[in-house]
């Protein structure tokens, strides 16, 4: 495992002027992948220093952000040097934001080590830390100069984390590519097992995300399609206190299942059988698709509606949702009646 990582991290620095790099990572990733990464940089003639933060979302807070900024400055990283985010979405978002602001902007490289980071957070240039008012509220658009996705790094990832990342991967099929979804239905076991199928699925997802971001980097339009399942999903994630009870990808799986059912049953946009096909695949890989699948108590429908309203602006009783006309046909609908959503969620809560 270590040698696989070391081998594929043998990369040439993108900037010929780059003499130094600082690697930002977390304890879990450091245990498996830091030394091979450092060795690969040494091999390429790049001196590196390391900053290791605790794993978990708490590292996207002001305190750790300050510590990482100070450590990067102390390691005498200057413009023309590199910051390297070696980790999942937490490390990518944190390091990207540090790189956006230290010395008014450093080049940085994303080396994603989770499936979620491979297919989502490392692509697109959104960087952020969290505020007491909500996640990702302090941030910047800052594109990495390189994303180095080595799928062998995923071999050490806990299966639950891999499965949660798969929800974001299948999202690209569900929102815009019915053929990719059908391919995943047939090949998901190989994607989980690793090898060429996994690489293909990750490459397809990156292409899909990059195409959307290229059309709309600042999310004034189409980029919002990437939020399929995220309105319901964020409310469920918040209801579980952003804890291990429900990982982000798990919440998005349940959120996409709800978005498909809502589109079919309450909006009449597609046959229920097609919605069920989408939901069946998520369930088959072991992701939650029903509120019953979420362990522990859930809040009332009023509280869930409050969480949805906090996340998305409600204008004159209307919510903006990503709805679907079928598998591979998502669209942005700004006029969803909040009362419809409430009735739907009440029914779903009653099924628990
Ligand atoms: N910028 C964006 O566009 C964007 C998009 C989606 C999500 N995000 C952000 O991404 C974050 C979630 O990312 P995540 O799911 O990757 O979580 P994460 O970075 O917390 O990683 C999940 C867990 O896996 C561990 N881990 C990571 N790689 C490992 C490996 N190879 N082997 C063993 N353990 C490993 C980590 O230490 C952590 O405990 C959230 O903060 C979210 O806001 C950002
Ligand atoms: Zn997401």
């Amino acid at each position: 495992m270590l040698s696989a990582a070391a081998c594929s991290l043998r990369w040439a620095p993108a900037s010929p002027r780059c003499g130094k790099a600082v690697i930002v990572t977390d304890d879990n990733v450091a245990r498996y992948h830091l030394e091979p990464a450092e060795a690969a940089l040494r091999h390429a003639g790049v001196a590196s220093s390391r900053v290791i933060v605790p794993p978990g979302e708490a590292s996207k807070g002001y305190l750790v952000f300050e510590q990482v900024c100070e450590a990067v400055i102390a390691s005498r990283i200057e413009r023309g040097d590199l910051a390297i985010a070696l980790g999942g979405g937490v490390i990518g978002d944190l390091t990207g934001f540090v790189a956006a602001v230290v010395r008014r902007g450093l080049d940085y490289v994303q080396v994603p080590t989770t499936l979620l980071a491979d297919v989502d957070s490392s692509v697109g240039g959104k960087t952020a830390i969290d505020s007491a008012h909500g996640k990702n509220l302090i941030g910047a658009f800052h594109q990495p100069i390189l994303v180095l996705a080595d799928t062998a790094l995923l071999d050490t990832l806990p299966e639950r984390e891999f499965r949660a990342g798969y929800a974001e991967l299948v999202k690209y099929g569900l929102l815009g590519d019915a053929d990719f979804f059908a391919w995943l239905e047939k090949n998901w076991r190989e994607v989980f097992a690793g090898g060429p199928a996994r690489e293909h699925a990750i490459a397809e997802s990156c292409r899909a995300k990059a195409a959307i971001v290229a059309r709309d980097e600042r999310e004034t339009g189409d980029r919002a399609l990437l939020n399929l399942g995220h309105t319901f999903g964020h409310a469920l994630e918040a209801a579980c206190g952003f804890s291990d009870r429900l990982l982000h990808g798990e919440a998005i799986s349940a959120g996409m299942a709800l978005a498909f059912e809502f589109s079919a049953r309450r909006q009449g946009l597609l046959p229920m059988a097609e919605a069920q096909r989408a939901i069946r695949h998520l369930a088959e890989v072991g992701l939650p698709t029903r509120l019953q699948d979420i362990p522990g108590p859930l809040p009332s429908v009023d509280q869930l509606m409050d969480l949805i309203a906090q996340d998305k602006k409600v204008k004159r009783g209307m919510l903006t949702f990503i709805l679907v006309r079928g598998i591979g046909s998502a669209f942005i609908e700004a006029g969803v009646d909040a009362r419809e959503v409430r009735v739907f969620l009440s029914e779903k809560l009653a099924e628990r």
Side-chain angles (χ1 to χ4, degrees), residues 116 120 168 171 226-228 230 234 237 248-249 252:
L116 180 138
D120 194 354
E168 300 280 9
K171 183 182 79 180
L226 298 170
N227 294 333
L228 175 63
H230 281 61
H234 279 157
E237 216 182 347
H248 175 74
I252 294 326

Side-chain angles (χ1 to χ4, degrees), residues 6-159:
C7 153
S8 44
L9 279 170
R10 216 187 299 127
W11 57 285
S15 152
R17 289 177 299 129
C18 168
K20 274 204 296 286
V22 57
I23 303 174
V24 183
T25 191
D26 73 26
D27 289 306
N28 292 336
V29 179
R31 194 174 322 129
Y32 300 111
H33 303 299
L34 180 56
E35 282 177 16
E38 288 174 331
L41 287 168
R42 248 192 331 272
H43 188 76
V46 180
S48 70
S49 52
R50 44 162 79 176
V51 183
I52 304 175
V53 306
E57 186 70 25
S59 283
K60 276 174 61 177
Y62 287 113
L63 190 66
V64 175
F65 169 70
E66 182 186 342
Q67 288 166 349
V68 176
C69 286
E70 292 302 330
V72 169
I73 295 165
S75 65
R76 300 180 192 279
I77 292 293
E78 299 183 15
R79 291 221 208 139
D81 296 330
L82 272 186
I84 299 175
L86 177 68
V90 163
I91 291 299
D93 280 12
L94 170 70
T95 310
F97 187 50
V98 168
V101 295
V102 166
R103 296 186 185 275
R104 298 196 184 87
L106 299 171
D107 284 344
Y108 78 112
V109 171
Q110 292 269 15
V111 184
T113 65
T114 64
L115 182 58
L116 180 138
D118 273 327
V119 301
D120 194 354
S121 59
S122 71
V123 180
K126 277 191 183 177
T127 74
I129 57 170
D130 301 333
S131 138
H133 294 276
K135 276 184 59 165
N136 298 326
L137 293 178
I138 323 283
F141 288 94
H142 188 49
Q143 296 289 351
I145 61 162
L146 174 74
V147 180
L148 190 73
D150 172 4
T151 57
L153 298 177
L154 301 179
D155 290 344
T156 56
L157 189 66
E159 174 141 350

